Amino acid sequence: MILVFGGGGQLGQELAGLGARQRVPMVCLMRRDADIASDADVAASLAAHRPTIVVNAAAYNQVDK
C-alpha cells in the first residue's frame, strides 16, 4: 500500500487519480488528516496505515510569504 502525504495538492491529486486508474492500493492524506510538520501526525499515520511505500507530495506554494 502506498501512503501519500499532500493528497489535497496538485501532485497528490494526480497520484490519487493514477493510483485509482491502475488499481493500486493507496491512501492519500490531506493536511487536515496529517500535517507533515508534525512528528506525531506522521508517526500516527505510519502506524495506522503501515504502508510499503511513502510519498511526500506536500508542498508550500506561497513561498513569497
Side-chain angles (χ1 to χ4, degrees):
M1 192 271 293
I2 299 173
L3 178 63
V4 178
F5 289 100
Q10 183 178 359
L11 178 57
Q13 290 178 13
E14 290 295 325
L15 289 170
L18 178 62
R21 287 189 299 278
Q22 298 295 321
R23 296 190 174 120
V24 175
M26 183 180 294
V27 173
C28 295
L29 302 178
M30 296 183 201
R31 185 175 185 185
R32 68 174 180 247
D33 303 317
D35 184 349
I36 63 163
S38 166
D39 292 345
D41 281 5
V42 172
S45 298
L46 294 174
H49 298 288
R50 302 185 46 85
T52 304
I53 298 170
V54 176
V55 176
N56 179 11
Y60 186 72
N61 61 0
Q62 296 176 340
V63 295
D64 57 327
K65 293 183 180 183

